[in-house]
Amino acid sequence: MTTPQVGADCAADLIARFLKAHGVTRVFALCGGHIMPIWMRLHAHGIAIVDVRDERAAVYMAHAHADLTSEVGVALVTAGPGVTNAMTGLANAHVARASVLVLSGTPPTAQENRGALQDVNHIDFVKPLTRYARTVRDPDLVLQELDEALSRCLGHGSEPGPVFLDFPVNTLRAPVSRAMQLPERFTPRARPRLHPDPQDLQRAMAVLWQAKRPLVITGRGARGASSALIELLDRLGAVYLDTGESRGLVPESHPSVVAAMRGAVMSQADVILTLGRKLDFQLAYGSEAVFGQAQWVRMADCTSELRDNRRGEVEVLADVNLAIEGLLACAGERPSACDRSWAAQLRTQHLERARKMKTSMQQAPAGQDGRMHPNRLLAALSEVVDDQTIVVADGGDFLSFARVGLPASTYLDPGPLGCIGMGTPFGIAASLACPGRQVVVATGDGAFGFNAMEIDTAVRHQAPVLIVVANNGSWAIEVRDQQETHGQVVGTTLQFADHAAMARAFGMHAQRVEKAQDLPRAIELAMANRPALLDVVVTPEAASSDAKSGLAWVPDLQALGAWDTAEAAWREKA
């Protein structure tokens, strides 16, 4: 049998050249015959291939790479089950608006619809999860389709998000006409910046500058606007809440930060400015039951973050950084009406709560089973986390502890899709993208199990990541819900498995820790021998804020029990 050769003038080579011209240096992938032409040409052009153990991990890694670098993240997955495995990662990137390009292959065109190996229509599966999805059969159209897909992916003229292209394998091996290899396709282009309407800015300024108790909430769309945002907070005197999408834009030391007073400030604010943030379940859908009669001013560069659930008194469709700069220019030297004593009091209360929480975390008692409280683990980790550390939090119950107990200027988590299991792949990608920074993955044992095999990927590619597994032997939020709501526990307990032994089997530095006093030395050794894993046994008896809130039992009207009660009362009263 003669194996078809993949030449330097074929479509697969053009794909590799295109990616390299657009700054792609690393592709996350799992091999397969239908994509082997692309695979080999990527290698020929010096693009690193991070080969993974499951396709969804490849997409997760591309997602984290995109978030941390503001570049496109590229995943390469094979046909059939390769694509279906990748769909969870695509769904997560879709909800998060992450710039992920997924490439795949299909059987040769002569075998289409004849029962060939892995012959399924990928486009029907992935189209609802992508900004653009095409099968490219003509080799002369490969470059054009790549150009369009990348532009859609990066949000050139539309909302950014994942895109998908696949190619019959005979197309990948076919030559491409020189006439169709237009140089303009290889030219990287910056995302167009949407400028705000001056009249919208004037109206927004008038509303914000007359506010007595202004609150600013940021989301993904505010990334890149840190300096302008801080100046806005200083000038306006507003208090500030970030979200997992935008943590680190404003340092914890800034006087506007009042994260520990989230519930109070949400009910007290009279004007709320959202910057690139949806009003989803994490913000009570903007309901008056939680936010009262507050006015809204909304700024975003895409409509999905501009008018969902609550319309603004003013809505500014524009690049968030440009919108803030324009807003400040409109205000000039005009003093704001903000009640600075209100803001200062909230800040004082925030600092006191934060201080008490730090102390309580360090002293958190063990459970009746004698196992340590998860907060003892987080307190120990906090001692090694600095301003440059990238923290990846994953899980259900443990994520709830980590979200409030582990400080981070750069923070990644499952996001609004609640896609647990992304922690280890995100951490590996983060450590490869930012090798000069510490990367700590704080994950529950249940979430870790989804992609535990990727520790093999970390070892093989020497990704300097520290993975810390909080091992409570259960799906803890669900256990508590079953106990309190149904009176019995069914199918929600796990083993206190030895994850450290598993990691050592793959050649990773790993240690099992069962006593809080052993944590500092174990963390020190792990940091010095990354990639590393710590399997820390914690009690399943500790109740996280999410477990207490009713999140697990899924209330009818709101995500949290207290909000649900308030919503029901508000609707009845209305």
Side-chain angles (χ1 to χ4, degrees):
M1 182 183 72
T2 301
T3 303
Q5 296 299 305
V6 182
D9 61 345
C10 68
D13 189 74
L14 197 67
I15 293 169
R17 287 165 48 204
F18 176 88
L19 294 177
K20 188 170 185 177
H22 286 271
V24 175
T25 59
R26 182 178 294 117
V27 169
F28 305 95
L30 204 161
C31 60
H34 294 101
I35 57 172
M36 198 59 71
I38 303 176
W39 190 285
M40 300 312 297
R41 298 317 298 170
L42 291 174
H43 177 72
H45 284 278
I47 296 175
I49 297 173
V50 180
D51 53 308
V52 301
R53 299 300 299 267
D54 185 280
E55 287 87 357
R56 82 183 138 175
V59 184
Y60 287 153
M61 291 182 191
H63 180 159
H65 180 92
D67 274 2
L68 292 169
T69 66
S70 298
E71 302 168 352
V72 65
V74 182
L76 177 62
V77 303
T78 200
V83 172
T84 57
N85 285 348
M87 286 178 63
T88 300
L90 273 170
N92 200 38
H94 168 71
V95 173
R97 297 175 61 225
S99 295
V100 173
L101 168 62
V102 178
L103 302 175
S104 186
T106 68
T109 51
Q111 299 182 45
E112 282 186 1
N113 300 318
R114 300 185 66 195
L117 176 67
Q118 298 179 337
D119 184 15
V120 294
N121 187 336
H122 301 147
I123 305 303
D124 285 351
F125 292 147
V126 304
K127 196 167 186 177
L129 303 175
T130 57
R131 305 295 186 265
Y132 192 76
R134 291 284 190 276
T135 296
V136 187
R137 293 178 174 83
D138 186 338
D140 280 355
L141 296 180
V142 165
L143 197 54
Q144 174 179 318
E145 290 287 1
L146 280 167
D147 193 11
E148 181 64 21
L150 185 62
S151 295
R152 300 279 191 101
C153 181
L154 294 171
H156 292 184
S158 61
E159 185 178 49
V163 297
F164 177 91
L165 293 177
D166 62 10
F167 313 84
V169 70
N170 61 306
T171 298
L172 294 173
R173 292 192 286 250
V176 177
S177 167
R178 288 285 179 182
M180 296 299 289
Q181 298 184 37
L182 300 173
E184 68 218 38
R185 301 290 188 188
F186 294 93
T187 303
R189 302 174 192 275
R191 186 187 183 199
R193 301 179 72 191
L194 185 61
H195 287 257
D197 184 312
Q199 292 185 340
D200 288 341
L201 291 178
Q202 285 286 350
R203 293 171 57 225
M205 184 274 294
V207 174
L208 288 164
W209 256 252
Q210 60 80 35
K212 300 291 186 183
R213 301 182 302 279
L215 165 64
V216 177
I217 304 176
T218 57
R220 175 176 296 273
R223 293 177 182 178
S226 177
S227 296
L229 172 60
I230 291 171
E231 184 178 354
L232 172 65
L233 294 171
D234 290 338
R235 295 268 299 278
L236 185 58
V239 294
Y240 172 71
L241 296 176
D242 66 10
T243 60
E245 298 179 355
S246 59
R247 189 182 294 188
L249 288 179
V250 178
E252 291 289 324
S253 58
H254 194 277
S256 290
V257 174
V258 293
M261 300 300 296
R262 182 176 299 265
V265 71
M266 285 168 64
S267 65
Q268 294 174 16
D270 61 354
V271 175
I272 301 165
L273 171 63
T274 63
L275 298 171
R277 185 59 165 91
K278 290 184 176 182
L279 292 176
D280 60 13
F281 75 95
Q282 296 169 319
L283 292 172
Y285 311 115
S287 173
E288 285 191 20
V290 174
F291 287 94
Q293 297 294 315
Q295 291 180 296
W296 295 83
V297 176
R298 307 198 62 184
M299 296 182 175
D301 64 356
C302 65
T303 56
S304 66
E305 293 174 348
L306 193 69
R307 55 177 183 256
D308 64 312
N309 290 313
R310 293 296 303 274
R311 300 300 299 258
E313 184 77 14
V314 186
E315 296 169 351
V316 182
L317 180 61
D319 175 275
V320 169
N321 198 60
L322 293 177
I324 298 174
E325 290 174 351
L327 188 67
L328 292 170
C330 284
E333 298 302 317
R334 175 178 174 174
S336 86
C338 176
D339 181 350
R340 305 264 175 168
S341 63
W342 167 77
Q345 183 180 23
L346 282 170
R347 175 65 178 176
T348 298
Q349 292 171 326
H350 159 81
L351 291 173
E352 179 61 18
R353 280 195 179 182
R355 184 192 64 78
K356 287 182 178 178
M357 182 175 180
K358 183 175 182 179
T359 300
S360 68
M361 287 176 62
Q362 293 169 336
Q363 300 173 354
Q368 292 184 2
D369 56 8
R371 299 184 177 100
M372 80 173 81
H373 195 287
N375 277 338
R376 296 292 296 273
L377 166 57
L378 292 170
L381 283 176
S382 295
E383 295 300 315
V384 300
V385 169
D386 58 31
D387 289 342
Q388 292 301 306
T389 301
I390 299 170
V391 170
V392 182
D394 190 13
D397 200 56
F398 187 60
L399 171 63
S400 179
F401 285 110
R403 185 175 60 242
V404 295
L406 192 58
S409 59
T410 305
Y411 173 86
L412 303 173
D413 70 12
L417 189 63
C419 196
I420 67 171
M422 39 57 68
T424 298
F426 267 44
I428 292 169
S431 65
L432 293 173
C434 308
R437 300 173 65 180
Q438 290 182 159
V439 178
V440 175
V441 176
T443 178
D445 55 336
F448 174 68
F450 279 91
N451 284 288
M453 282 296 291
E454 298 305 329
I455 60 175
D456 173 60
T457 305
V459 171
R460 287 184 293 105
H461 291 276
Q462 283 301 289
V465 60
L466 170 60
I467 301 166
V468 181
V469 182
N471 187 350
N472 64 10
S474 66
W475 301 99
I477 286 182
E478 286 72 20
V479 167
R480 180 170 292 272
D481 175 39
Q482 288 180 340
Q483 288 172 333
E484 296 181 355
T485 308
H486 305 281
Q488 58 182 326
V489 175
V490 181
T492 52
T493 55
L494 301 168
Q495 300 182 60
F496 283 92
D498 192 339
H499 302 297
M502 175 186 177
R504 286 193 296 270
F506 285 97
M508 179 179 279
H509 173 88
Q511 182 178 344
R512 187 174 176 94
V513 183
E514 299 186 28
K515 297 180 180 179
Q517 59 265 35
D518 295 335
L519 280 170
R521 179 56 178 163
I523 293 171
E524 180 184 6
L525 284 173
M527 279 294 190
N529 291 279
R530 291 171 289 165
L533 181 143
L534 293 178
D535 179 23
V536 183
V537 178
V538 299
T539 180
E541 297 171 13
S544 69
S545 58
D546 283 351
K548 296 175 183 177
S549 71
L551 186 69
W553 57 266
V554 192
D556 289 339
L557 302 175
Q558 288 279 355
L560 306 182
W563 289 355
D564 188 68
T565 300
E567 182 79 17
W570 173 71
R571 293 192 184 191
E572 181 67 25
K573 182 179 179 181

